[in-house]
Amino acid sequence: MWIITLPRFGEEEPEIRPPRLLKCGKEYSVGRKDARIIINQPWISREHGSFIVSQHTDNDVFDVQKIPTLEYTGVKGCIILRDGETIQTPKGGTVVLKHGDQISLAVKMKTPISVAWSDIAWFIESADDVKISECASIGVKLCVEYDPKMNRHITEEITGEPNQLPVLLRGGCLVTREWALELFRRANLPSDLPSTDIVSLEDACHLPPTDDFLPSFSSILPRQLRATEIWRPNDLRRTFFAGRVLVFLIEGKMLPTTWKDVMNAGDATYEVFNVHDGSKKWITRLTRLHGKTTEASPTVVLITDEEAMFAAVGESWKEFVRDTDRIGLRFLPYSKISEAVLWVKPNILKSISDPGDAPSQLADQVPGSLADEPSSIEITQPTRRRRERSETPALVPERASVAPSEVVSVNEDEFANARTKLKRRVRQPSVEPTPASQLTGLGRE
């Protein structure tokens, strides 16, 4: 949409004058009085000139590259400052303005008027979400697929799925359809209303606050992500992937469109490797990338879906995992990208293995041939049991023994009786061996 900002011309005017919307297909007269844009200064004529915005059709709404023209026609000449150059226009002439132009309507005008084109592009999930004619009237663009200019995503529910990440990476946010309706309402309010909190966009182009129109949280969204501040616009996300090379190990040669959009939205550097090309080519490529990694070079981040890769190549997947681990790297799931973007924490995307990192859950899996046959070989469990026995040995009853130097004094009769009774007790297999202390006591019965 085209925005015009007028300077402060006198002490009676506010120090900060809000930007004003110039609607498409309309003409805005400039004059000292009785004009749409009033500049009450002696060096401005009663009918000084006019700003004219061309039509913006329904078809133009879906073309983010097409910008309606903005022209200025003046009874008197004007001076335009553009990219450091000064352009003088003749009396009665018309000039096509560009984004960022500054216009002085008279020689005595010390502070110029500025004009700017503001990209307001919305990603919509359905063409029925908004009125296209309303978008056309104010210069809003609609996108049905990813475009780097989009800065709003119209949806009724926040799911955290990857298709909702691109707008966040462009510094935008998610809003409901009601946000768009409120914008249209403000655009259609009568101009020159009494000073209130909400006035026409043609008098003060203030967009509705996005926090008031945040979509509801989906039941599939993790609870820790159900916080308003996470979903606010954050310009830090614009350079989120800087200093990283993301390597996607997939089945095929083309990254799925959804994740490709995420990479493009974040201006990410990424590569794709087909798992069917084999582990030897993979490790060669990975070694080349990882070998270049220094403090000043990009960090390599490995992304894959381990279950999908195991399903694609079977037992050969173990070779990918083990070879990758040998050079000190590990795979991250796709969900780590979403997690890092939402929390604005790039360090979550770290593929360098730490000693405490858990090994791949699928590294030792082999397919079972029977429905009830286990699909993995348990390696760590026996080791854990052996460690438990060594650390916490089972309690075994202690057996009493007589020291070699100790002499037990019994007479022969008592000893004979003890031997006889001992034989009878030994013949009972269910009875545990009797401690020696009890044996000596038998002779005193």
Side-chain angles (χ1 to χ4, degrees):
M1 56 176 64
W2 279 109
I3 304 296
I4 185 171
T5 305
L6 303 177
R8 183 188 186 197
F9 294 113
E11 294 182 358
E12 70 281 357
E13 295 181 352
E15 293 186 9
I16 300 176
R17 304 193 69 175
R20 302 166 66 169
L21 169 67
L22 299 179
K23 298 178 73 172
C24 300
K26 289 188 67 174
E27 178 176 352
Y28 294 81
S29 59
V30 179
R32 193 165 57 246
K33 59 169 45 178
D34 299 329
R36 186 61 187 84
I37 299 176
I38 298 176
I39 303 177
N40 189 16
Q41 295 296 318
W43 32 266
I44 293 293
S45 316
R46 186 181 182 90
E47 297 178 356
H48 199 88
S50 60
F51 290 93
I52 304 171
V53 185
S54 68
Q55 292 288 338
H56 187 236
T57 68
D58 290 0
N59 290 334
D60 295 338
V61 168
F62 292 94
D63 185 354
V64 294
Q65 302 301 326
K66 190 166 185 179
I67 300 175
T69 59
L70 172 61
E71 298 178 340
Y72 175 74
T73 300
V75 176
K76 297 183 179 180
C78 68
I79 301 173
I80 298 173
L81 182 63
R82 177 183 296 166
D83 298 330
E85 297 183 0
T86 301
I87 302 173
Q88 183 80 42
T89 62
K91 293 181 180 181
T94 298
V95 61
V96 177
L97 301 174
K98 294 184 178 181
H99 169 74
D101 280 355
Q102 295 182 313
I103 310 102
S104 293
L105 303 183
V107 176
K108 293 183 178 182
M109 189 173 184
K110 296 180 180 180
T111 306
I113 295 171
S114 62
V115 296
W117 170 259
S118 178
D119 284 312
I120 305 295
W122 305 341
F123 177 85
I124 56 173
E125 298 172 354
S126 170
D128 297 330
D129 287 344
V130 295
K131 293 182 179 180
I132 298 176
S133 59
E134 294 279 12
C135 294
S137 67
I138 60 176
V140 166
K141 300 294 184 178
L142 298 180
C143 309
V144 293
E145 58 185 20
Y146 167 74
D147 189 277
K149 290 187 176 182
M150 68 186 195
N151 43 40
R152 295 290 185 276
H153 183 134
I154 307 295
T155 185
E156 297 305 311
E157 192 174 52
I158 294 178
T159 62
E161 294 177 341
N163 69 319
Q164 295 185 341
L165 298 181
V167 70
L168 299 176
L169 287 165
R170 301 310 298 174
C173 61
L174 288 79
V175 292
T176 62
R177 179 174 176 268
E178 283 67 29
W179 182 87
L181 297 178
E182 173 61 15
L183 181 68
F184 297 148
R185 186 186 75 83
R186 296 186 184 191
N188 294 323
L189 287 174
S191 59
D192 298 325
L193 288 174
S195 179
T196 60
D197 291 338
I198 298 177
V199 297
S200 170
L201 296 182
E202 293 179 286
D203 293 326
C205 192
H206 297 313
L207 304 184
T210 55
D211 280 1
D212 294 346
F213 299 91
L214 187 71
S216 60
F217 295 124
S218 169
S219 59
I220 68 173
L221 186 70
R223 288 191 177 276
Q224 60 268 31
L225 296 177
R226 301 179 189 181
T228 301
E229 57 271 15
I230 293 176
W231 303 95
R232 288 186 178 128
N234 191 329
D235 283 337
L236 293 177
R237 293 190 176 109
R238 290 181 178 271
T239 56
F240 190 78
F241 294 113
R244 286 171 172 75
V245 176
L246 283 80
V247 182
F248 292 86
L249 182 60
I250 65 173
E251 185 177 15
K253 297 182 178 180
M254 298 294 293
L255 190 65
T257 301
T258 301
W259 287 108
K260 185 177 180 180
D261 291 345
V262 173
M263 293 296 99
N264 290 335
D267 294 327
T269 301
Y270 70 96
E271 297 186 11
V272 173
F273 186 88
N274 186 354
V275 70
H276 292 295
D277 287 344
S279 61
K280 291 184 178 180
K281 289 185 177 180
W282 163 253
I283 200 62
T284 299
R285 187 169 181 180
L286 195 58
T287 302
R288 174 178 57 83
L289 284 171
H290 187 54
K292 294 180 179 179
T293 301
T294 64
E295 291 184 2
S297 64
T299 300
V300 177
V301 180
L302 308 182
I303 304 293
T304 196
D305 180 341
E306 293 200 45
E307 291 186 0
M309 296 303 97
F310 178 70
V313 297
E315 190 173 356
S316 298
W317 172 242
K318 293 186 295 183
E319 300 176 12
F320 283 87
V321 177
R322 290 168 181 170
D323 289 344
T324 301
D325 183 66
R326 286 191 186 101
I327 63 174
L329 296 177
R330 61 172 179 159
F331 292 103
L332 299 180
Y334 286 81
S335 60
K336 286 295 181 181
I337 299 178
S338 301
E339 182 182 342
V341 170
L342 294 176
W343 288 111
V344 199
K345 292 183 178 180
N347 289 337
I348 291 177
L349 298 177
K350 186 185 71 168
S351 280
I352 299 176
S353 296
D354 291 330
D357 289 340
S360 168
Q361 295 178 353
L362 300 177
D364 298 297
Q365 284 193 345
V366 294
S369 57
L370 300 176
D372 57 350
E373 183 181 356
S375 60
S376 63
I377 302 174
E378 295 187 2
I379 296 177
T380 58
Q381 186 64 23
T383 303
R384 184 167 60 251
R385 288 199 297 268
R386 285 196 296 272
R387 184 169 60 251
E388 291 172 354
R389 286 198 296 269
S390 62
E391 293 175 354
T392 311
L395 295 177
V396 180
E398 294 184 0
R399 299 187 182 188
S401 61
V402 179
S405 61
E406 183 179 357
V407 178
V408 179
S409 176
V410 291
N411 60 36
E412 292 182 359
D413 293 337
E414 289 178 339
F415 183 72
N417 291 335
R419 290 180 58 190
T420 302
K421 293 180 180 181
L422 178 62
K423 288 180 180 179
R424 287 198 300 269
R425 295 177 66 86
V426 168
R427 290 193 187 100
Q428 299 178 18
S430 61
V431 179
E432 292 290 332
T434 306
S437 60
Q438 293 185 20
L439 290 177
T440 58
L442 289 174
R444 291 189 288 271
E445 288 182 357

